[in-house]
Amino acid sequence: MSTRLTIGFLGAGRMATALAKGLVHAKLVNADQIIASDLLEAARSAFAKEAGVGTTASNLEVAQSADVLVLAVKPDQVAGVLKEIRSAVTEKHLVCSIAAGVTLAKLESSLSDGARVIRVMPNTPALVGASATAYALGKHATAEDGQLAQKMFSAVGLAFQLKESLLDAVTGLSGSGPAYVYLLIEALSDGGVAAGLPRDVATKLAAQTVFGSAKMALETGLHPGVLKDMVTSPGGTTIEGVHELEKAGVRGALMGAVRAAAEKSKKLGQG
């Protein structure tokens, strides 16, 4: 990334903070190349403390001083923020929106003709540098804009460029997915407690098991079914547990959760 590039965050919440920290940690920009705005003084203070960058209460000031604008406010605040900065957004700006459910068409129609916009769907593990992110380019965004987005969001995890029509599926899978995994960790911990383990030990074992399994899937590139078969010895303990999960319909329930969340995301985008 250019050493002259300035990145402005419109909204200084946890996701914006995580991304700013990731950009600095990855040395894509220096801290003095980042600025953030937020109406809440507490949010500005937390952002400045954690990311070590400058903040302001003025969205317009950020738009006037930055080259890349990251729209990081709640979906119902997007229209107001874009109306506020519309006059300051020029052909030099790239606008990346991480507001869930707000379509490229809505973003583009709220800015001047020819605005370069990218819609991004990250997830909360960005807070620990392990996000799963997908993004889609607007009709005026260039290939270079896409490469820049790839670098930016790879700084806090994995990032994939997709068609916008697939972002609802991404929302259902990786956007909502952490909640499914936390539910799984909690249930595994409960099972450990039921089997006699102390709660703190059970929770740590459950979380580490999920972490290690995910790490193996990513680093080996093997199909999850192959990795599962590597654990399930004939007549052993694991196949007994897997049998209980299959009887309970866990596989189908997880598939249904992703599809239901994706459909809900689609409806929110139409609203």
Side-chain angles (χ1 to χ4, degrees):
M1 290 174 65
S2 169
T3 56
R4 307 301 302 172
L5 197 65
T6 301
I7 298 176
F9 288 88
L10 302 165
R14 288 185 296 172
M15 192 70 76
T17 303
L19 182 55
K21 289 172 64 176
L23 293 172
V24 174
H25 181 73
K27 299 182 179 178
L28 296 180
V29 292
N30 297 320
D32 61 4
Q33 293 171 257
I34 296 177
I35 185 172
S37 59
D38 202 293
L39 292 178
L40 298 177
E41 193 278 332
R44 297 197 304 273
S45 296
F47 189 99
K49 181 178 179 181
E50 292 192 43
V53 305
T55 63
T56 175
S58 171
N59 292 323
L60 190 59
E61 181 181 343
V62 170
Q64 290 170 337
S65 60
D67 304 294
V68 179
L69 300 175
V70 180
L71 187 59
V73 295
K74 294 179 180 179
D76 61 355
Q77 298 173 326
V78 167
V81 172
L82 292 182
K83 182 179 180 181
E84 183 181 353
I85 67 169
R86 179 185 173 109
S87 63
V89 177
T90 68
E91 65 277 358
K92 81 162 189 174
H93 288 94
L94 171 63
V95 179
C96 295
S97 170
I98 62 173
V102 182
T103 65
L104 286 168
K106 289 181 180 178
L107 294 166
E108 290 168 342
S109 66
S110 298
L111 295 168
S112 300
D113 291 343
R116 293 153 49 214
V117 176
I118 296 179
R119 179 183 168 190
V120 187
M121 183 66 228
N123 66 2
T124 56
L127 298 170
V128 292
S131 178
T133 298
Y135 60 94
L137 305 188
K139 59 185 177 182
H140 301 295
T142 66
E144 290 76 15
D145 292 335
Q147 292 168 5
L148 177 57
Q150 180 70 37
K151 288 181 180 179
M152 287 176 58
F153 292 95
S154 292
V156 290
L158 297 177
F160 302 90
Q161 182 178 335
L162 298 173
K163 297 184 296 184
E164 185 182 22
S165 60
L166 296 176
L167 291 190
D168 291 317
V170 171
T171 301
L173 176 56
S174 58
S176 301
Y180 316 152
V181 177
Y182 299 141
L183 191 67
L184 175 62
I185 291 172
E186 184 181 29
L188 289 172
S189 177
D190 285 346
V193 171
L197 291 172
R199 171 63 72 183
D200 60 335
V201 173
T203 299
K204 289 178 180 177
L205 285 173
Q208 182 67 22
T209 297
V210 171
F211 171 75
S213 301
K215 188 176 176 67
M216 281 191 68
L218 288 170
E219 295 188 1
T220 66
L222 294 174
H223 190 281
V226 173
L227 292 171
K228 179 205 67 174
D229 288 348
M230 289 167 59
V231 188
T232 50
S233 303
T237 60
T238 304
I239 195 63
E240 288 295 320
V242 169
H243 186 209
E244 290 300 311
L245 293 173
E246 294 290 6
K247 285 196 297 183
V250 170
R251 186 193 302 260
L254 288 170
M255 292 172 63
V258 172
R259 294 184 68 181
E263 286 301 313
K264 180 65 173 181
S265 175
K266 188 179 297 184
K267 290 179 182 178
L268 289 175
Q270 294 169 348

mmCIF file of all heavy atoms in Angstrom, residues 2-3 32 51 107 112 121 140 146 148 155 158 160 183-184 202 233 244 251:
data_model
loop_
_atom_site.group_PDB
_atom_site.id
_atom_site.type_symbol
_atom_site.label_atom_id
_atom_site.label_comp_id
_atom_site.label_asym_id
_atom_site.label_seq_id
_atom_site.Cartn_x
_atom_site.Cartn_y
_atom_site.Cartn_z
ATOM 1 N N SER A 2 0.385 2.265 -0.644
ATOM 2 C CA SER A 2 1.127 3.516 -0.725
ATOM 3 C C SER A 2 1.372 4.099 0.657
ATOM 4 O O SER A 2 0.501 4.097 1.513
ATOM 5 C CB SER A 2 0.341 4.525 -1.573
ATOM 6 O OG SER A 2 0.896 5.801 -1.454
ATOM 7 N N THR A 3 2.580 4.607 0.855
ATOM 8 C CA THR A 3 2.892 5.230 2.138
ATOM 9 C C THR A 3 2.130 6.533 2.318
ATOM 10 O O THR A 3 2.075 7.069 3.416
ATOM 11 C CB THR A 3 4.399 5.499 2.253
ATOM 12 O OG1 THR A 3 4.813 6.310 1.146
ATOM 13 C CG2 THR A 3 5.174 4.203 2.249
ATOM 14 N N ASP A 32 -0.223 7.110 11.924
ATOM 15 C CA ASP A 32 -0.558 8.489 11.570
ATOM 16 C C ASP A 32 -1.244 8.601 10.214
ATOM 17 O O ASP A 32 -1.567 9.699 9.761
ATOM 18 C CB ASP A 32 0.680 9.383 11.620
ATOM 19 C CG ASP A 32 1.774 8.963 10.647
ATOM 20 O OD1 ASP A 32 1.546 8.010 9.862
ATOM 21 O OD2 ASP A 32 2.851 9.578 10.671
ATOM 22 N N ALA A 51 -5.915 1.552 19.156
ATOM 23 C CA ALA A 51 -5.272 1.583 17.836
ATOM 24 C C ALA A 51 -4.131 2.590 17.768
ATOM 25 O O ALA A 51 -3.314 2.550 16.847
ATOM 26 C CB ALA A 51 -6.308 1.894 16.755
ATOM 27 N N LEU A 107 -25.738 2.059 -1.475
ATOM 28 C CA LEU A 107 -24.547 2.849 -1.171
ATOM 29 C C LEU A 107 -24.242 3.813 -2.314
ATOM 30 O O LEU A 107 -23.997 5.003 -2.099
ATOM 31 C CB LEU A 107 -23.352 1.928 -0.921
ATOM 32 C CG LEU A 107 -23.439 1.037 0.324
ATOM 33 C CD1 LEU A 107 -22.374 -0.057 0.265
ATOM 34 C CD2 LEU A 107 -23.276 1.864 1.592
ATOM 35 N N SER A 112 -22.246 10.512 -4.955
ATOM 36 C CA SER A 112 -22.230 11.120 -6.285
ATOM 37 C C SER A 112 -22.012 10.065 -7.355
ATOM 38 O O SER A 112 -21.447 8.989 -7.092
ATOM 39 C CB SER A 112 -21.116 12.172 -6.356
ATOM 40 O OG SER A 112 -21.312 13.191 -5.400
ATOM 41 N N MET A 121 -18.266 -7.962 4.066
ATOM 42 C CA MET A 121 -18.915 -8.704 5.154
ATOM 43 C C MET A 121 -17.836 -9.397 5.976
ATOM 44 O O MET A 121 -17.412 -10.500 5.656
ATOM 45 C CB MET A 121 -19.890 -9.739 4.584
ATOM 46 C CG MET A 121 -20.662 -10.502 5.646
ATOM 47 S SD MET A 121 -21.786 -9.455 6.593
ATOM 48 C CE MET A 121 -21.367 -9.949 8.270
ATOM 49 N N HIS A 140 -18.334 0.847 -10.170
ATOM 50 C CA HIS A 140 -17.262 1.780 -10.530
ATOM 51 C C HIS A 140 -15.933 1.454 -9.861
ATOM 52 O O HIS A 140 -14.933 2.110 -10.136
ATOM 53 C CB HIS A 140 -17.680 3.213 -10.187
ATOM 54 C CG HIS A 140 -18.926 3.673 -10.889
ATOM 55 N ND1 HIS A 140 -18.997 3.817 -12.258
ATOM 56 C CD2 HIS A 140 -20.158 3.990 -10.404
ATOM 57 C CE1 HIS A 140 -20.209 4.217 -12.594
ATOM 58 N NE2 HIS A 140 -20.929 4.324 -11.483
ATOM 59 N N GLY A 146 -10.073 -3.559 -5.730
ATOM 60 C CA GLY A 146 -10.259 -4.900 -5.203
ATOM 61 C C GLY A 146 -8.992 -5.440 -4.561
ATOM 62 O O GLY A 146 -9.036 -6.090 -3.509
ATOM 63 N N LEU A 148 -6.671 -3.653 -3.211
ATOM 64 C CA LEU A 148 -6.477 -2.912 -1.973
ATOM 65 C C LEU A 148 -7.362 -3.485 -0.867
ATOM 66 O O LEU A 148 -6.914 -3.672 0.272
ATOM 67 C CB LEU A 148 -6.803 -1.435 -2.192
ATOM 68 C CG LEU A 148 -6.713 -0.515 -0.966
ATOM 69 C CD1 LEU A 148 -5.333 -0.581 -0.336
ATOM 70 C CD2 LEU A 148 -7.056 0.915 -1.363
ATOM 71 N N ALA A 155 -5.480 -8.391 6.463
ATOM 72 C CA ALA A 155 -4.694 -8.007 7.643
ATOM 73 C C ALA A 155 -5.345 -8.494 8.933
ATOM 74 O O ALA A 155 -4.686 -8.543 9.971
ATOM 75 C CB ALA A 155 -4.528 -6.490 7.691
ATOM 76 N N LEU A 158 -8.814 -14.035 6.803
ATOM 77 C CA LEU A 158 -8.959 -14.449 5.413
ATOM 78 C C LEU A 158 -9.964 -13.540 4.711
ATOM 79 O O LEU A 158 -10.942 -13.105 5.314
ATOM 80 C CB LEU A 158 -9.450 -15.892 5.327
ATOM 81 C CG LEU A 158 -8.543 -16.981 5.897
ATOM 82 C CD1 LEU A 158 -9.217 -18.344 5.785
ATOM 83 C CD2 LEU A 158 -7.202 -16.994 5.175
ATOM 84 N N PHE A 160 -12.072 -12.952 0.771
ATOM 85 C CA PHE A 160 -12.408 -13.498 -0.541
ATOM 86 C C PHE A 160 -13.263 -12.498 -1.314
ATOM 87 O O PHE A 160 -14.215 -11.938 -0.769
ATOM 88 C CB PHE A 160 -13.202 -14.803 -0.403
ATOM 89 C CG PHE A 160 -12.499 -15.876 0.363
ATOM 90 C CD1 PHE A 160 -12.664 -15.981 1.738
ATOM 91 C CD2 PHE A 160 -11.658 -16.770 -0.279
ATOM 92 C CE1 PHE A 160 -12.014 -16.968 2.459
ATOM 93 C CE2 PHE A 160 -11.009 -17.752 0.435
ATOM 94 C CZ PHE A 160 -11.182 -17.859 1.805
ATOM 95 N N LEU A 183 -22.053 -21.669 20.542
ATOM 96 C CA LEU A 183 -23.073 -22.584 21.059
ATOM 97 C C LEU A 183 -22.502 -23.996 21.162
ATOM 98 O O LEU A 183 -22.739 -24.717 22.150
ATOM 99 C CB LEU A 183 -24.300 -22.554 20.138
ATOM 100 C CG LEU A 183 -25.575 -23.242 20.636
ATOM 101 C CD1 LEU A 183 -26.144 -22.502 21.841
ATOM 102 C CD2 LEU A 183 -26.613 -23.285 19.517
ATOM 103 N N LEU A 184 -21.735 -24.389 20.149
ATOM 104 C CA LEU A 184 -21.105 -25.706 20.145
ATOM 105 C C LEU A 184 -20.101 -25.835 21.289
ATOM 106 O O LEU A 184 -20.070 -26.852 22.000
ATOM 107 C CB LEU A 184 -20.411 -25.929 18.800
ATOM 108 C CG LEU A 184 -19.597 -27.214 18.636
ATOM 109 C CD1 LEU A 184 -20.501 -28.430 18.767
ATOM 110 C CD2 LEU A 184 -18.881 -27.225 17.294
ATOM 111 N N ALA A 202 -13.274 -27.738 31.367
ATOM 112 C CA ALA A 202 -14.119 -28.214 30.267
ATOM 113 C C ALA A 202 -14.241 -27.169 29.171
ATOM 114 O O ALA A 202 -14.161 -27.497 27.971
ATOM 115 C CB ALA A 202 -15.508 -28.579 30.795
ATOM 116 N N SER A 233 -11.993 -44.258 14.944
ATOM 117 C CA SER A 233 -11.484 -45.628 14.837
ATOM 118 C C SER A 233 -12.649 -46.618 14.857
ATOM 119 O O SER A 233 -13.673 -46.370 15.507
ATOM 120 C CB SER A 233 -10.547 -45.953 16.008
ATOM 121 O OG SER A 233 -9.482 -45.029 16.066
ATOM 122 N N GLU A 244 -24.445 -40.391 17.903
ATOM 123 C CA GLU A 244 -25.416 -39.605 18.662
ATOM 124 C C GLU A 244 -25.710 -38.275 17.973
ATOM 125 O O GLU A 244 -26.858 -37.809 17.938
ATOM 126 C CB GLU A 244 -24.895 -39.359 20.080
ATOM 127 C CG GLU A 244 -24.855 -40.598 20.957
ATOM 128 C CD GLU A 244 -26.237 -41.213 21.133
ATOM 129 O OE1 GLU A 244 -27.186 -40.456 21.451
ATOM 130 O OE2 GLU A 244 -26.366 -42.438 20.931
ATOM 131 N N ARG A 251 -26.051 -32.193 11.981
ATOM 132 C CA ARG A 251 -25.590 -31.768 10.652
ATOM 133 C C ARG A 251 -26.671 -30.969 9.930
ATOM 134 O O ARG A 251 -26.431 -29.880 9.412
ATOM 135 C CB ARG A 251 -25.186 -32.992 9.831
ATOM 136 C CG ARG A 251 -24.556 -32.671 8.485
ATOM 137 C CD ARG A 251 -24.506 -33.943 7.632
ATOM 138 N NE ARG A 251 -23.753 -34.993 8.293
ATOM 139 C CZ ARG A 251 -22.482 -35.296 8.021
ATOM 140 N NH1 ARG A 251 -21.849 -34.636 7.087
ATOM 141 N NH2 ARG A 251 -21.884 -36.288 8.647
#
